[in-house]
Amino acid sequence: MRPALLPGDWLLVRRGAPVRPGDIVVARLPGDSSRLIVKRAAWRGDDGWWLESDNQRASGRRDSWDFGPVTDVVGRVVLRYWPPRRRPRPPS
């Protein structure tokens, strides 16, 4: 999800929150419901939400272009924050 999210970012997710196109969401990976994915909601169709990666050229990226619409959206990301060790330092 670069550039919006970086590896190690922590997310506050509101379960069951209404989702709008453009929101970042957490969903269950189709075909492996034990894994969660973080994607951007593009649009809602009759079969579920179309979820896309922000960086379509990233190697290994998987989104609705690979597995189709997603019906099991867990929640909407409402806050991103950094773990204590990666907190940005104030300018000197």
Side-chain angles (χ1 to χ4, degrees):
M1 282 299 298
R2 285 180 187 228
L5 302 174
L6 299 176
D9 283 353
W10 292 0
L11 305 174
L12 180 63
V13 177
R14 184 171 174 205
R15 288 180 171 268
V19 176
R20 295 181 303 266
D23 287 344
I24 297 176
V25 299
V26 174
R28 297 206 181 274
L29 180 65
D32 185 359
S33 62
S34 65
R35 295 184 62 193
L36 297 175
I37 56 174
V38 178
K39 301 293 174 190
R40 189 168 303 277
W43 69 84
R44 183 175 178 89
D46 294 336
D47 297 334
W49 278 98
W50 190 268
L51 305 180
E52 293 186 346
S53 299
D54 279 357
N55 185 352
Q56 289 294 314
R57 294 183 182 175
S59 64
R61 72 111 186 104
R62 293 191 59 207
D63 58 17
S64 287
W65 291 105
D66 302 304
F67 44 71
V70 175
T71 57
D72 196 357
V73 174
V74 175
R76 177 173 43 97
V77 174
V78 294
L79 179 70
R80 172 190 67 139
Y81 59 103
W82 297 279
R85 290 185 300 268
R86 207 185 91 209
R87 190 173 301 150
R89 292 197 168 107
S92 310

